[in-house]
Amino acid sequence: MSKNSNTSSHHAVASTGLTHQQTKDKTLVVGLTGGIGSGKSSASDWFAMQGIDIIDADVIAHEVVAKGSATLRKIQKKFGDWVISPAGNMDRAAVRSHVFTHPEALMELESITHPAIREAAKEQLAASTSAYVVLSAPLLIEAAEAGLANLCQRILVIDVHEDTQLARASLRDEQSATKIKAIMANQLSREVRNGHADDVIVNEADLAALHLQLQPLHQTYLTLAQQLKYAAD
């Protein structure tokens, strides 16, 4: 379902769905998010099949800490050589374990990685040539420091019930229910996440049903993208 453009959402206005401030950039950016097991990746894949450029924040997050990167050197300088594996990569398991037990360390880590992720996302947005762009991020709304939501003119949430999240994530990753619940607890509640959305799709059925819901949204985004380009000219 789509929220009516006459609502008080800060991402949309009644006439075109875009504010004057948002018309500075000629490219419409749709932020795509959803909790674990929601089907966000399936939605992202469908948009890609329509010829829409996808910017994946998870991919960027891995790229910015690649072996020899400036961001990885900053992390090493902040935390010590133990963050580097013998192969020269970031020891993700060690870092994950450390920040799990030291909340302040997570904040320090994010203060290094989030700006790098944002800058990389902005570079990819500038290089995009499709009618509009989808910026996919599981923590699009939660990670305020990364500022990814601020790069978007529209936010689409793929929503499912918690039981569905648990069932799908268990099948996909073979993770324990305890671990999946911990990930879910670290993400916003459905109500809060949906409250930030301009468009919400409930993905409780199969892929065909998901695609049927995405099709009209795609047409809406194409229209908004055209309006944005005209307004910016």
Side-chain angles (χ1 to χ4, degrees), residues 65-77:
V65 294
K67 180 178 180 179
S69 67
T71 303
L72 184 55
R73 288 195 296 271
K74 289 179 182 178
I75 295 172
Q76 182 180 11
K77 183 177 180 181

Side-chain angles (χ1 to χ4, degrees), residues 79 82-83 90-106 109:
F79 294 98
W82 62 268
V83 303
M90 186 170 84
D91 189 333
R92 294 182 181 279
V95 173
R96 191 182 304 115
S97 176
H98 181 70
V99 300
F100 183 77
T101 54
H102 300 80
E104 72 285 355
L106 176 60
L109 177 65

Side-chain angles (χ1 to χ4, degrees), residues 75-149:
I75 295 172
Q76 182 180 11
K77 183 177 180 181
K78 181 67 179 180
F79 294 98
D81 292 341
W82 62 268
V83 303
I84 307 296
S85 72
N89 302 304
M90 186 170 84
D91 189 333
R92 294 182 181 279
V95 173
R96 191 182 304 115
S97 176
H98 181 70
V99 300
F100 183 77
T101 54
H102 300 80
E104 72 285 355
L106 176 60
M107 294 179 64
E108 292 172 341
L109 177 65
E110 290 179 341
S111 72
I112 297 171
T113 59
H114 280 182
I117 292 170
R118 177 181 171 84
E119 288 308 304
K122 288 171 66 177
E123 288 178 7
Q124 291 189 27
L125 285 172
S128 171
T129 57
S130 60
Y132 62 91
V133 188
V134 169
L135 174 53
S136 175
L139 300 178
L140 178 71
I141 301 164
E142 290 92 331
E145 297 85 354
L148 295 181

